[in-house]
Every structure is written in C-alpha cells, then in structure tokens.
C-alpha cells in the first residue's frame, strides 16, 4: 500500500487509462466486538485510529461514522493550519501538531496539498501591536516562527488591502511563515487510508444511538447497524459531543454553534498568504483553484443546523469590504456552515470521563482543523496508555468544574459564543 502513489505508479496508470486504481479503503461490516471503538469519522477520529495503529500497534479498532467519512467539519472548514497560540498548554500542543503536519504527506503517502504560505495577523492600533509582539515572543520561545512586520512590510506582501481605512488603518502584522493551508478532505482521506491499511475497520452509515455501561464501565455501543462490544470507547464527534456524551449520562460544558464560510469564483492570484483582520473576526486566503476562501464569526446562537443565517453573511462581507474593497467585484459562489463544539474557555478537552473505559475528545471551537494530527496523536496515546500525552495534559475535563487550569486564549470569559 505504501508505494501506491509512487511516481512510477502514476506514470503506469496514465498509460493504461487509470483503470488500475482500487478503492482506498475497505467497506467492512462491523464485527461483534473490538478493543477500541472511535465514535465519529471526522479528522480527529480518523487521525486517532491511524495513530493507535501506527504508534501503539492497536489495530482491533473500528471508527463508527453516522454519515460518510469526511462529511462533517473536516470537509467544511477553511483549512488554516498554524501554531500561533499564546497560552501554556495550547502553545506546546499546536506546536507539536504543526510538526506532525509537516511530516504528514510522507507519513500517509498521500498528497494533502499542505501549503506553508504563511499566516499574517494584522493589527490596527498600538495596543494590538504590543499584544502581537508578546504573542510573537511566545511563539519564538516555543521554537516556532514569528516575524513582526510594520505597515510597509505588510504592504509589500499584500498590496491589495486598504491600509488607510478611516476607522481601521493597518499598523502592521504578525507573520507566521510556517502556517498555511492544506486540503481538508484529503486529510480525512489520507488518515482513513492509512488507518484502513493497518487493519482498522472504517464503518460508514453507522450511527451510535446508545452507550452501554455496566457497573461504571463501558462495555460497548448501540448503533443503527446493531450492538458492538468494546473495551474502550472514544467520543470524537465535534458539534455532536453533548448529544453523544448524554448517551452516557454526561452533561458536557460544550455548546454547539454554527460557523459559516464562503468562496468566490476563481480569480487570478491576488493573496499569497492567509490574512486575518484585527478589528473583527474575518480571515481570507486564496485556494489553488483561485477562489477567495473567507469566513468570520459564529452565528451567535446555539444550533445544530449545518447552514448559516444572512445577518452573519452580511457582517462577514462588511468586514471583507473594509479590509479589501476590491473584493466587492468578486462573485460569491458558495457558502456553507458547520457545527462547532464551543468550550467555555475556547480550549479543547482530551481526557478520560467518569465512566471507566470511556474517553472524550472535543471543544475544538472553530480551530480544530490545524489540531487534527496533534489531537489524533494525543488521543491515541491516552486511549492506549491511560496517561495524557505531554502537550495535551492540560486539556482536562474537570477544569470547568474546579475552575483550575482554565485556558482562556481569547480573554473573553466564560461565554461560549465569544471564543
Ligand atoms: C466554516 C468552518 C471553518 C473552519 N475553519 C477552520 C480553519 O480554518 N482552521 C481550523 O483549524 N479549524 C477550522 N474549523 C474547525 C474545524 O473544522 C473543526 O474544529 C474540526 O474539523 C472538528 O473535528 P472533526 O474533523 O473530527 O469534526 P467532524 O468532521 O465534524 O467529525 C465528527 C464526526 O462525528 C460524526 N458523528 C456525530 N454524531 C455521531 C453519532 N452519533 N454516531 C456516529 N458518528 C457521529 C459526524 O457525522 C462527523 O462526521 C472550521 C470549521 C468550520 C465549520
């Protein structure tokens, strides 16, 4: 399997009308029992299954997905990858995750179109410049890269911005060269193929409808394809976390909110980096096909609908016009929404639960794409060893009960929809 995408293979298939390719993963029926069940076939669930097999040799594993692999947030995000966090815990975790991104294509033998085009966070006041400098120092102290740019430095990189906007002139930016983008669904497919080839069963159209618990210990799950027994069960269902955890009698501190994104028609190259506006939640990059990909804030009310509302679309487009007025000439082709698992401090949870053998991975808010490899690696470590993996040790569930160890990265307090 490892050599499947070799140059020689591509050449040979090109000469034989591409008739030799086979399905990238099997379509097995569920077995009666497994060592580990992963609920949720998104990026985090698939990466967890891959690292369980790859790092720990645990292959009697099934990923149970209620729809199709990659149909959730992993296939709906704006694909930004970065390691520019400020707080202890997050800083080390995302740094580790970015290193895994950098080796991902080799590890999976799959083209995930990883493009380290750099992430540029703009600032528009002296106070924001101070914060950017502090954040840059944290990133550098962590061993990652950060460059503080003045206004001319930003202008040289992205001339199409409105530098002299009456309300929000651009003062400069914090540039993170190793950040960038990757193709989101290819990440899901790459991990799926890697897990399947190591013996993991990927079971689609298999909704978990109940969690079986005996004497405080998980024994398996009920699904739309029948009951399945297991020694250990991991819940990795992003926006559905509260619903699935409720099947085990747990009430999570997670709220589900919609986040929208937009893409325009294909244009000639005009933005080489990922750029974020500092005076509102707006960010933009250009896809390899030429479409401008952009997004903004949550819709601001809890919902399980994977589509957004028009007031937020208007808000995002206003920010776009403020930052880059030329965008007004582009036509939006598509918009869509995903359901975000918002935690009260904006940081994730990777932990055991009070039920023996039941583990939880959630709270990624709107930043869980870049976390996929780090989260899968850490969650696999926890499932395999019952000990937290170093950088993820602070992602404890009980911090919301005790108040100790909260990681309020945005400094916005305990309001889910502000993180
Ligand atoms: C518009 C948008 C833009 C974003 N932009 C970025 C970005 O630029 N950078 C970034 O880092 N992050 C971004 N994110 C966030 C990121 O996409 C998510 O945090 C991350 O994908 C969530 O993890 P996941 O991939 O495992 O989730 P999902 O892909 O949603 O996986 C969860 C899976 O669980 C399945 N499931 C749910 N309930 C059950 C059940 N009962 N039984 C079986 N299966 C079940 C679902 O069908 C789903 O496939 C964005 C999100 C959105 C919506």
């Amino acid at each position: 399997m490892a050599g499947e995408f070799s140059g020689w293979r591509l050449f040979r298939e090109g000469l034989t009308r591409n008739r030799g390719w086979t399905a990238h993963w099997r379509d097995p029926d569920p077995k009666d029992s497994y060592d580990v069940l992963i609920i949720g076939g998104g990026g985090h669930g698939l990466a967890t299954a891959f690292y369980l097999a790859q790092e720990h040799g645990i292959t009697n594993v099934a990923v149970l997905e209620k729809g199709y692999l990659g149909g959730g947030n992993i296939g709906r995000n704006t694909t930004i990858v970065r390691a520019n966090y400020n707080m202890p815990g997050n800083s080390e975790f995302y740094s580790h995750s970015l290193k895994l991104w950098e080796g991902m294509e080799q590890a999976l033998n799959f083209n995930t179109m990883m493009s380290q085009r750099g992430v540029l966070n703009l600032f528009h006041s002296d106070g924001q410049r101070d914060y950017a400098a502090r954040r840059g120092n944290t990133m550098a102290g962590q061993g990652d890269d950060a460059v503080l740019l003045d206004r001319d430095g930003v202008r040289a990189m992205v001339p199409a911005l409105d530098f002299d906007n009456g309300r929000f002139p651009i003062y400069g930016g914090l540039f993170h060269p190793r950040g960038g983008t990757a193709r989101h669904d290819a990440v899901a497919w790459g991990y799926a193929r890697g897990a399947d080839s190591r013996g993991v069963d990927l079971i689609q159209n298999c909704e978990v409808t109940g969690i079986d618990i005996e004497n405080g210990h998980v024994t398996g799950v009920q699904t739309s394809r029948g009951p399945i027994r297991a020694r250990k069960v991991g819940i990795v269902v992003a926006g559905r976390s509260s619903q699935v955890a409720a099947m085990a009698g747990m009430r999570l501190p997670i709220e589900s909110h919609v986040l929208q994104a937009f893409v325009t028609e294909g244009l000639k190259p005009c933005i080489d980096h990922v750029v974020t506006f500092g005076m509102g939640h707006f960010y933009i990059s250009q896809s390899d096909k030429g479409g401008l990909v952009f997004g903004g804030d949550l819709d601001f009310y809890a919902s399980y609908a994977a589509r957004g509302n028009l007031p937020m679309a208007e808000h995002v487009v206003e920010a776009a016009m403020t930052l880059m007025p030329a965008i007004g000439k582009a036509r939006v082709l598509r918009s869509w929404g995903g359901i975000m698992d918002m935690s009260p401090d904006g940081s994730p949870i990777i932990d055991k639960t009070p039920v023996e053998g039941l583990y939880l991975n959630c709270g990624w808010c709107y930043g869980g794409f870049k976390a996929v490899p780090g989260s899968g690696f850490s969650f696999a470590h926890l499932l395999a060893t019952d000990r937290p993996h170093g950088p993820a040790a602070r992602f404890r569930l009980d911090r919301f009960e005790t108040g100790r160890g909260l990681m309020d990265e945005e400094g916005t307090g305990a309001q889910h929809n502000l993180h």
Side-chain angles (χ1 to χ4, degrees):
M1 183 61 110
E4 189 171 353
F5 291 122
S6 66
W8 164 241
R9 180 79 195 273
L10 287 174
F11 179 69
R12 191 160 53 102
E13 290 300 331
L15 292 179
T16 56
R17 299 190 182 181
N18 286 301
R19 280 184 299 208
W21 299 113
T22 52
H24 287 325
W25 52 82
R26 298 164 294 128
D27 186 20
D29 288 325
K31 296 191 290 193
D32 290 342
S33 84
Y34 291 89
D35 290 338
V36 181
L37 287 176
I38 307 289
I39 309 176
H44 293 242
L46 293 166
T48 302
F50 172 80
Y51 290 115
L52 270 173
Q54 159 101 346
E55 298 294 315
H56 305 280
I58 300 175
T59 56
N60 187 21
V61 175
V63 177
L64 308 179
E65 167 54 46
K66 74 172 178 177
Y68 60 93
L69 297 183
N73 291 333
I74 188 65
R76 293 168 177 266
N77 62 71
T78 42
T79 77
I80 301 168
V81 172
R82 58 189 165 90
N84 58 357
Y85 280 68
N86 201 25
M87 300 207 62
N90 285 333
S91 180
E92 305 94 289
F93 175 83
Y94 287 103
S95 183
H96 176 236
S97 196
L98 183 56
K99 291 186 184 90
L100 291 172
W101 275 106
E102 290 173 333
M104 183 187 290
E105 290 180 342
Q106 293 299 324
L108 301 177
N109 183 219
F110 202 88
N111 182 8
T112 58
M113 297 171 69
M114 175 71 174
S115 163
Q116 290 181 289
R117 60 186 67 183
V119 174
L120 176 62
N121 299 128
L122 300 174
F123 48 80
H124 309 262
S125 68
D126 291 333
Q128 285 194 332
R129 183 193 288 115
D130 287 351
Y131 176 70
R134 274 205 307 282
R135 178 140 71 121
N137 285 335
T138 306
M139 291 159 65
Q142 178 58 48
D144 293 317
D145 55 343
V147 184
L148 197 66
L149 297 173
D150 62 12
R151 188 179 154 84
D152 290 339
V154 173
R155 199 193 295 273
M157 290 173 77
V158 201
L161 304 180
D162 182 359
F163 285 81
D164 298 307
N165 182 277
R167 290 178 73 195
F168 308 124
I170 294 170
Y171 277 41
L174 182 65
F175 187 54
H176 171 37
R178 283 168 58 229
T181 59
R183 179 162 172 188
H184 46 16
D185 33 22
V187 173
W189 301 333
Y191 275 119
R193 176 174 168 272
D196 172 88
S197 68
R198 286 163 178 77
V200 171
D201 283 355
L202 306 176
I203 302 171
Q204 304 182 69
N205 298 312
C206 183
E207 178 169 2
V208 170
T209 53
I211 296 179
D212 299 331
I213 299 167
E214 283 173 24
N215 301 321
H217 199 299
V218 76
T219 56
V221 299
Q222 299 293 319
T223 80
S224 52
R225 295 177 67 172
I228 308 175
R229 283 179 286 115
R231 286 194 307 113
K232 294 185 174 182
V233 175
I235 302 175
V236 204
V237 293
R240 300 283 173 177
S241 298
S242 296
Q243 291 176 326
V244 174
M247 296 175 194
M250 293 168 58
R251 187 159 177 260
L252 293 187
I254 299 292
E255 279 187 10
S256 293
H257 287 258
V258 185
L259 180 69
Q260 300 190 58
F262 307 81
V263 67
T264 70
E265 60 192 328
L267 303 170
K268 286 185 179 172
C270 56
I271 296 193
D272 295 338
H273 315 283
V274 178
V275 181
T276 74
F277 183 37
M279 292 307 293
H281 200 167
F282 174 78
Y283 55 93
I284 186 163
S285 65
Q286 190 164 18
S287 78
D288 292 344
K289 280 197 290 188
L292 297 177
V293 181
F294 56 93
D297 245 320
L298 296 174
D299 275 14
F300 283 130
Y301 52 86
S303 170
Y304 286 107
R307 61 178 181 276
N309 69 22
L310 282 174
M312 186 48 67
E314 185 181 4
H315 177 79
V316 169
V317 170
E318 275 173 5
M321 289 297 292
T322 305
L323 186 64
M324 192 179 158
I327 203 173
K329 293 190 176 168
R331 278 171 293 199
V332 172
L333 283 190
R334 286 188 301 280
S335 69
W336 62 91
I339 310 165
M340 315 313 332
D341 37 329
M342 303 301 296
S343 68
D345 65 356
S347 295
I349 298 164
I350 299 182
D351 206 352
K352 299 180 189 178
T353 72
V355 178
E356 196 67 31
L358 184 65
Y359 303 76
L360 182 65
N361 176 322
C362 65
W364 295 101
C365 300
Y366 33 66
F369 179 62
K370 62 183 168 296
V372 163
S375 161
F377 192 97
S378 305
F379 200 41
H381 185 278
L382 179 69
L383 280 157
T385 67
D386 274 317
R387 291 191 312 276
H389 181 249
R394 290 179 191 248
F395 296 163
R396 292 172 61 103
L397 175 60
D398 69 1
R399 69 182 191 271
F400 302 107
E401 203 176 329
T402 64
R404 278 195 297 276
L406 291 169
M407 285 174 280
D408 183 359
E409 184 76 35
E410 308 275 329
T412 43
Q415 210 173 321
H416 294 76
N417 62 8
L418 293 183
H419 288 286

